[in-house]
Amino acid sequence: MGIILKPIDVVDDITQEEFIEKYLKPRKPVVIKNMARKWPAYQKWTMEYMKEVVGDIEVPLYDSSKADPSAPINASASKMKFGDYIDLIQREPTDLRIFLFDPIKFAPKLLEDYISPKELMGGFLDKYPNMFFGGKGSVTFLHFDIDMAHIFHTHFNGRKHILLFDYKWKERLYQIPYATYALEDYDIENPDFTKFPALDGVEGIECFLEHGDTLFMPTGWWHWMKYLDGSFSISLRAWDKSWAVKAHSLWNLTVQRKFDDIMKKNFKKKYMDWKEKIAIKRAEIALKRGLPK
Protein backbone atom coordinates (compact mmCIF):
# COMPACT_ATOMS: atom_id res chain seq x y z
CA MET A 1 0.00 0.00 0.00
CA GLY A 2 2.68 2.52 1.00
CA ILE A 3 2.06 6.16 1.84
CA ILE A 4 -0.99 7.37 -0.07
CA LEU A 5 -0.39 10.83 -1.52
CA LYS A 6 -3.00 12.90 -3.30
CA PRO A 7 -2.18 16.03 -5.34
CA ILE A 8 -2.97 19.31 -3.65
CA ASP A 9 -5.77 21.58 -4.87
CA VAL A 10 -4.36 24.42 -6.99
CA VAL A 11 -6.19 27.66 -7.84
CA ASP A 12 -5.09 30.76 -9.72
CA ASP A 13 -7.19 33.10 -7.60
CA ILE A 14 -9.87 32.61 -4.95
CA THR A 15 -12.59 34.70 -3.33
CA GLN A 16 -12.94 35.05 0.43
CA GLU A 17 -16.17 33.06 0.39
CA GLU A 18 -14.61 30.18 -1.57
CA PHE A 19 -11.49 30.19 0.60
CA ILE A 20 -13.42 30.10 3.87
CA GLU A 21 -15.90 27.42 2.77
CA LYS A 22 -13.53 25.12 0.86
CA TYR A 23 -10.27 25.47 2.79
CA LEU A 24 -10.35 27.50 6.02
CA LYS A 25 -13.38 25.89 7.68
CA PRO A 26 -12.53 22.30 6.67
CA ARG A 27 -8.82 23.06 7.32
CA LYS A 28 -7.66 21.83 3.94
CA PRO A 29 -4.41 22.93 2.23
CA VAL A 30 -4.44 24.71 -1.13
CA VAL A 31 -1.91 26.39 -3.45
CA ILE A 32 -2.80 29.87 -4.69
CA LYS A 33 -0.82 30.74 -7.83
CA ASN A 34 -1.50 34.45 -8.28
CA MET A 35 -1.53 35.83 -4.73
CA ALA A 36 2.14 36.90 -4.69
CA ARG A 37 2.01 38.22 -8.26
CA LYS A 38 0.41 41.33 -6.69
CA TRP A 39 3.40 41.84 -4.38
CA PRO A 40 6.46 43.97 -5.19
CA ALA A 41 8.42 40.91 -3.96
CA TYR A 42 7.34 38.89 -6.99
CA GLN A 43 9.70 40.91 -9.20
CA LYS A 44 12.16 42.28 -6.60
CA TRP A 45 13.08 39.26 -4.50
CA THR A 46 16.07 37.87 -6.33
CA MET A 47 19.12 36.38 -4.61
CA GLU A 48 21.16 39.49 -5.39
CA TYR A 49 18.45 41.74 -3.94
CA MET A 50 18.44 39.71 -0.74
CA LYS A 51 22.22 40.08 -0.43
CA GLU A 52 21.91 43.83 -1.01
CA VAL A 53 19.23 44.55 1.59
CA VAL A 54 20.24 42.06 4.29
CA GLY A 55 23.98 42.63 4.07
CA ASP A 56 26.85 40.62 5.47
CA ILE A 57 25.41 39.75 8.87
CA GLU A 58 26.28 36.38 10.38
CA VAL A 59 23.37 33.94 10.33
CA PRO A 60 22.83 30.55 12.02
CA LEU A 61 22.68 27.54 9.70
CA TYR A 62 20.96 24.19 10.19
CA ASP A 63 21.66 20.84 8.59
CA SER A 64 19.86 17.50 8.26
CA SER A 65 21.66 15.73 11.08
CA LYS A 66 19.58 14.16 13.84
CA ALA A 67 18.82 16.46 16.76
CA ASP A 68 21.26 16.31 19.67
CA PRO A 69 19.18 15.48 22.77
CA SER A 70 21.49 17.57 24.95
CA ALA A 71 21.28 20.67 22.73
CA PRO A 72 18.67 23.44 23.10
CA ILE A 73 15.74 23.32 20.69
CA ASN A 74 16.57 24.84 17.28
CA ALA A 75 20.32 24.87 18.04
CA SER A 76 22.27 25.73 14.86
CA ALA A 77 24.93 23.53 13.26
CA SER A 78 27.18 26.41 12.13
CA LYS A 79 27.24 30.08 11.16
CA MET A 80 28.10 31.98 7.99
CA LYS A 81 27.86 35.48 6.57
CA PHE A 82 24.51 35.86 4.82
CA GLY A 83 26.05 36.94 1.52
CA ASP A 84 28.41 33.97 1.51
CA TYR A 85 25.50 31.63 2.20
CA ILE A 86 23.49 33.04 -0.72
CA ASP A 87 26.51 32.52 -2.98
CA LEU A 88 26.80 28.94 -1.70
CA ILE A 89 23.20 27.91 -2.43
CA GLN A 90 23.39 29.45 -5.91
CA ARG A 91 26.64 27.65 -6.65
CA GLU A 92 26.09 24.07 -5.41
CA PRO A 93 23.83 21.67 -3.52
CA THR A 94 24.07 21.81 0.29
CA ASP A 95 21.97 20.58 3.18
CA LEU A 96 22.51 23.85 5.07
CA ARG A 97 19.40 25.94 5.70
CA ILE A 98 18.51 29.25 7.31
CA PHE A 99 15.58 28.57 9.61
CA LEU A 100 13.10 31.09 11.02
CA PHE A 101 15.07 34.07 9.77
CA ASP A 102 13.74 37.42 11.04
CA PRO A 103 13.89 39.99 8.21
CA ILE A 104 12.64 42.86 10.42
CA LYS A 105 15.77 43.02 12.53
CA PHE A 106 18.22 43.30 9.64
CA ALA A 107 16.20 44.28 6.55
CA PRO A 108 13.01 46.19 7.49
CA LYS A 109 12.54 47.38 3.90
CA LEU A 110 11.57 43.79 2.97
CA LEU A 111 8.33 44.34 4.86
CA GLU A 112 7.25 46.78 2.16
CA ASP A 113 7.40 44.03 -0.46
CA TYR A 114 4.62 41.66 0.60
CA ILE A 115 0.91 42.01 1.40
CA SER A 116 -0.88 39.93 4.02
CA PRO A 117 -3.93 38.27 2.40
CA LYS A 118 -6.43 39.99 4.69
CA GLU A 119 -8.98 39.79 1.90
CA LEU A 120 -9.15 36.05 2.66
CA MET A 121 -8.99 35.97 6.47
CA GLY A 122 -7.97 37.96 9.55
CA GLY A 123 -5.70 37.37 12.51
CA PHE A 124 -2.34 37.99 10.81
CA LEU A 125 0.78 38.65 12.85
CA ASP A 126 1.92 41.35 10.43
CA LYS A 127 5.13 42.33 12.22
CA TYR A 128 6.48 38.81 12.59
CA PRO A 129 6.97 37.05 9.24
CA ASN A 130 9.48 34.20 9.03
CA MET A 131 11.85 33.58 6.16
CA PHE A 132 13.52 30.29 5.22
CA PHE A 133 16.48 29.70 2.87
CA GLY A 134 17.75 26.35 1.64
CA GLY A 135 20.30 24.84 -0.70
CA LYS A 136 19.40 22.31 -3.38
CA GLY A 137 18.67 18.99 -1.70
CA SER A 138 18.27 20.39 1.81
CA VAL A 139 15.36 19.02 3.82
CA THR A 140 13.13 20.36 6.57
CA PHE A 141 12.27 17.39 8.82
CA LEU A 142 8.69 16.26 9.30
CA HIS A 143 6.96 18.42 11.93
CA PHE A 144 4.01 20.66 12.69
CA ASP A 145 4.37 24.24 13.90
CA ILE A 146 4.43 24.64 17.65
CA ASP A 147 2.20 27.73 17.71
CA MET A 148 -0.61 25.99 15.76
CA ALA A 149 -1.06 28.98 13.43
CA HIS A 150 -2.51 29.00 9.93
CA ILE A 151 0.36 29.59 7.48
CA PHE A 152 0.58 31.21 4.04
CA HIS A 153 3.95 29.97 2.73
CA THR A 154 5.18 31.72 -0.44
CA HIS A 155 8.23 30.46 -2.33
CA PHE A 156 10.78 32.39 -4.43
CA ASN A 157 13.59 31.74 -6.92
CA GLY A 158 13.20 28.01 -7.37
CA ARG A 159 11.19 24.91 -6.60
CA LYS A 160 10.22 23.15 -3.39
CA HIS A 161 8.71 19.68 -2.83
CA ILE A 162 6.30 19.40 0.11
CA LEU A 163 4.48 16.50 1.78
CA LEU A 164 1.56 17.34 4.06
CA PHE A 165 -0.29 15.21 6.61
CA ASP A 166 -3.37 16.00 8.67
CA TYR A 167 -2.74 16.34 12.43
CA LYS A 168 -4.85 13.23 13.07
CA TRP A 169 -2.01 11.04 11.68
CA LYS A 170 0.42 12.10 14.43
CA GLU A 171 0.73 8.67 16.11
CA ARG A 172 1.19 6.84 12.80
CA LEU A 173 3.92 9.36 11.87
CA TYR A 174 5.84 8.40 15.02
CA GLN A 175 5.42 11.75 16.79
CA ILE A 176 8.03 12.26 19.51
CA PRO A 177 6.36 12.83 22.92
CA TYR A 178 6.50 16.41 24.25
CA ALA A 179 7.61 17.63 20.83
CA THR A 180 6.17 18.75 17.50
CA TYR A 181 8.34 16.61 15.23
CA ALA A 182 8.47 12.98 14.13
CA LEU A 183 11.04 10.26 14.71
CA GLU A 184 14.04 11.21 12.59
CA ASP A 185 15.15 7.63 11.85
CA TYR A 186 13.05 7.20 8.70
CA ASP A 187 12.97 8.93 5.33
CA ILE A 188 9.39 10.00 4.64
CA GLU A 189 10.26 10.30 0.93
CA ASN A 190 11.32 6.64 0.79
CA PRO A 191 10.29 4.91 4.04
CA ASP A 192 11.25 1.42 5.16
CA PHE A 193 7.87 -0.12 5.95
CA THR A 194 9.49 -3.18 7.48
CA LYS A 195 11.15 -1.09 10.17
CA PHE A 196 8.34 1.48 10.40
CA PRO A 197 5.12 -0.40 9.57
CA ALA A 198 2.80 2.30 10.97
CA LEU A 199 3.68 4.49 7.98
CA ASP A 200 2.09 1.98 5.61
CA GLY A 201 -1.30 3.38 4.64
CA VAL A 202 -0.78 6.88 5.99
CA GLU A 203 -2.63 9.39 3.79
CA GLY A 204 -1.17 12.74 2.80
CA ILE A 205 -1.01 15.47 0.18
CA GLU A 206 1.86 16.16 -2.21
CA CYS A 207 2.73 19.66 -3.36
CA PHE A 208 5.31 21.33 -5.60
CA LEU A 209 5.87 25.08 -5.30
CA GLU A 210 7.45 27.31 -7.94
CA HIS A 211 8.41 30.99 -7.85
CA GLY A 212 5.52 33.06 -6.47
CA ASP A 213 3.30 30.12 -5.46
CA THR A 214 1.59 30.39 -2.06
CA LEU A 215 0.72 27.32 0.01
CA PHE A 216 -2.01 27.66 2.63
CA MET A 217 -1.28 25.24 5.48
CA PRO A 218 -4.05 25.08 8.07
CA THR A 219 -3.29 24.80 11.77
CA GLY A 220 -1.67 21.58 12.92
CA TRP A 221 -0.77 20.16 9.51
CA TRP A 222 2.45 18.14 9.49
CA HIS A 223 4.87 19.15 6.73
CA TRP A 224 8.13 17.91 5.21
CA MET A 225 9.92 20.16 2.73
CA LYS A 226 12.74 19.61 0.27
CA TYR A 227 14.44 22.39 -1.70
CA LEU A 228 14.75 21.28 -5.32
CA ASP A 229 16.80 24.42 -6.05
CA GLY A 230 18.67 26.91 -3.90
CA SER A 231 15.77 29.18 -3.00
CA PHE A 232 13.77 30.78 -0.19
CA SER A 233 10.30 31.30 1.25
CA ILE A 234 8.34 33.60 3.54
CA SER A 235 5.63 32.41 5.93
CA LEU A 236 2.81 34.70 7.02
CA ARG A 237 1.02 33.42 10.10
CA ALA A 238 -2.57 33.94 11.28
CA TRP A 239 -4.30 32.81 14.47
CA ASP A 240 -7.10 30.29 14.36
CA LYS A 241 -10.36 31.58 15.86
CA SER A 242 -10.82 28.42 17.94
CA TRP A 243 -10.07 28.91 21.64
CA ALA A 244 -9.21 25.21 21.85
CA VAL A 245 -6.48 25.69 19.21
CA LYS A 246 -5.20 28.80 20.99
CA ALA A 247 -5.07 26.86 24.27
CA HIS A 248 -3.15 24.07 22.50
CA SER A 249 -0.68 26.64 21.16
CA LEU A 250 -0.17 28.15 24.62
CA TRP A 251 0.39 24.70 26.13
CA ASN A 252 2.96 23.81 23.44
CA LEU A 253 4.86 27.07 23.85
CA THR A 254 4.95 27.14 27.64
CA VAL A 255 4.29 24.00 29.68
CA GLN A 256 5.33 21.38 27.12
CA ARG A 257 8.45 23.17 25.87
CA LYS A 258 9.62 24.03 29.40
CA PHE A 259 9.13 20.45 30.61
CA ASP A 260 10.95 19.07 27.58
CA ASP A 261 13.88 21.48 28.03
CA ILE A 262 14.26 20.52 31.69
CA MET A 263 14.17 16.80 30.93
CA LYS A 264 16.69 17.12 28.07
CA LYS A 265 19.03 19.15 30.23
CA ASN A 266 18.95 16.64 33.08
CA PHE A 267 18.68 13.29 31.31
CA LYS A 268 20.00 13.97 27.77
CA LYS A 269 20.33 10.77 25.70
CA LYS A 270 18.47 8.61 28.24
CA TYR A 271 15.43 10.89 27.96
CA MET A 272 15.60 10.99 24.14
CA ASP A 273 15.89 7.19 23.92
CA TRP A 274 12.78 6.90 26.13
CA LYS A 275 10.86 9.34 23.93
CA GLU A 276 11.74 7.42 20.78
CA LYS A 277 10.60 4.14 22.36
CA ILE A 278 7.27 5.74 23.30
CA ALA A 279 6.85 7.11 19.75
CA ILE A 280 7.36 3.62 18.31
CA LYS A 281 5.02 2.02 20.85
CA ARG A 282 2.25 4.55 20.19
CA ALA A 283 2.63 4.08 16.43
CA GLU A 284 2.32 0.30 16.79
CA ILE A 285 -0.82 0.69 18.94
CA ALA A 286 -2.38 3.14 16.45
CA LEU A 287 -1.66 0.77 13.56
CA LYS A 288 -3.14 -2.20 15.42
CA ARG A 289 -6.29 -0.23 16.22
CA GLY A 290 -6.60 1.07 12.66
CA LEU A 291 -6.26 4.69 13.73
CA PRO A 292 -7.13 7.30 12.71
CA LYS A 293 -10.71 6.44 11.85
Side-chain angles (χ1 to χ4, degrees):
M1 189 187 309
I3 292 177
I4 303 165
L5 296 174
K6 296 180 179 178
I8 196 166
D9 286 3
V10 178
V11 299
D12 289 329
D13 297 288
I14 193 167
T15 65
Q16 182 185 64
E17 182 179 10
E18 289 175 320
F19 175 74
I20 291 173
E21 291 302 317
K22 291 183 179 180
Y23 302 104
L24 183 59
K25 283 184 177 178
R27 294 180 179 170
K28 180 181 178 183
V30 62
V31 169
I32 306 171
K33 300 288 289 185
N34 290 339
M35 177 183 292
R37 290 177 182 267
K38 306 165 190 172
W39 300 358
Y42 185 77
Q43 299 292 340
K44 292 171 65 175
W45 281 14
T46 64
M47 294 293 194
E48 291 305 312
Y49 181 73
M50 286 293 156
K51 287 173 60 176
E52 175 188 332
V53 297
V54 176
D56 249 351
I57 61 164
E58 193 172 61
V59 293
L61 301 176
Y62 302 83
D63 60 21
S64 57
S65 59
K66 188 173 180 178
D68 180 352
S70 64
I73 190 169
N74 295 336
S76 62
S78 61
K79 293 183 178 180
M80 185 182 290
K81 287 185 177 180
F82 181 77
D84 292 341
Y85 174 76
I86 294 299
D87 289 341
L88 172 66
I89 65 173
Q90 290 187 96
R91 184 175 66 245
E92 61 191 61
T94 175
D95 70 343
L96 293 174
R97 295 175 292 115
I98 297 178
F99 173 65
L100 290 177
F101 176 61
D102 181 357
I104 298 173
K105 186 175 181 180
F106 304 105
K109 67 183 298 182
L110 291 175
L111 301 182
E112 302 169 4
D113 295 340
Y114 72 86
I115 304 165
S116 295
K118 295 179 180 178
E119 75 279 5
L120 297 183
M121 65 175 293
F124 281 93
L125 307 172
D126 291 332
K127 295 183 179 179
Y128 302 99
N130 295 313
M131 294 190 74
F132 307 83
F133 295 74
K136 180 179 179 179
S138 63
V139 170
T140 304
F141 58 83
L142 185 61
H143 70 287
F144 66 93
D145 285 19
I146 193 169
D147 62 358
M148 304 295 289
H150 297 297
I151 302 167
F152 289 82
H153 185 81
T154 303
H155 197 60
F156 295 91
N157 283 271
R159 300 164 298 146
K160 183 182 272 189
H161 181 202
I162 302 175
L163 302 182
L164 299 158
F165 303 93
D166 194 304
Y167 184 74
K168 67 183 181 181
W169 290 99
K170 58 186 184 295
E171 286 90 2
R172 294 277 295 275
L173 292 170
Y174 295 85
Q175 180 184 356
I176 297 294
Y178 307 111
T180 59
Y181 58 91
L183 188 69
E184 296 177 73
D185 293 336
Y186 67 81
D187 177 6
I188 192 64
E189 198 175 16
N190 186 30
D192 184 335
F193 298 113
T194 303
K195 289 185 178 180
F196 305 101
L199 295 173
D200 197 8
V202 168
E203 298 173 8
I205 294 174
E206 187 169 35
C207 169
F208 291 89
L209 295 183
E210 298 180 342
H211 178 79
D213 289 348
T214 299
L215 166 65
F216 169 66
M217 283 190 294
T219 176
W221 273 74
W222 289 79
H223 43 285
W224 169 94
M225 299 185 174
K226 183 175 185 178
Y227 290 82
L228 301 181
D229 304 290
S231 48
F232 61 92
S233 307
I234 185 170
S235 283
L236 308 180
R237 314 175 82 79
W239 291 123
D240 190 274
K241 289 184 177 181
S242 165
W243 284 104
V245 172
K246 290 175 181 175
H248 192 171
S249 170
L250 185 62
W251 171 270
N252 288 347
L253 290 164
T254 55
V255 178
Q256 178 174 281
R257 173 175 277 185
K258 185 65 174 178
F259 173 80
D260 197 50
D261 286 345
I262 291 170
M263 294 295 287
K264 283 198 299 185
K265 182 178 180 180
N266 287 285
F267 299 101
K268 298 181 173 65
K269 187 176 185 301
K270 184 178 180 181
Y271 174 58
M272 196 62 201
D273 289 346
W274 173 81
K275 292 208 298 179
E276 291 185 352
K277 288 179 182 177
I278 294 298
I280 292 169
K281 185 176 181 179
R282 287 178 176 173
E284 290 172 349
I285 292 171
L287 177 62
K288 186 179 292 186
R289 295 175 60 189
L291 298 176
K293 295 180 178 179

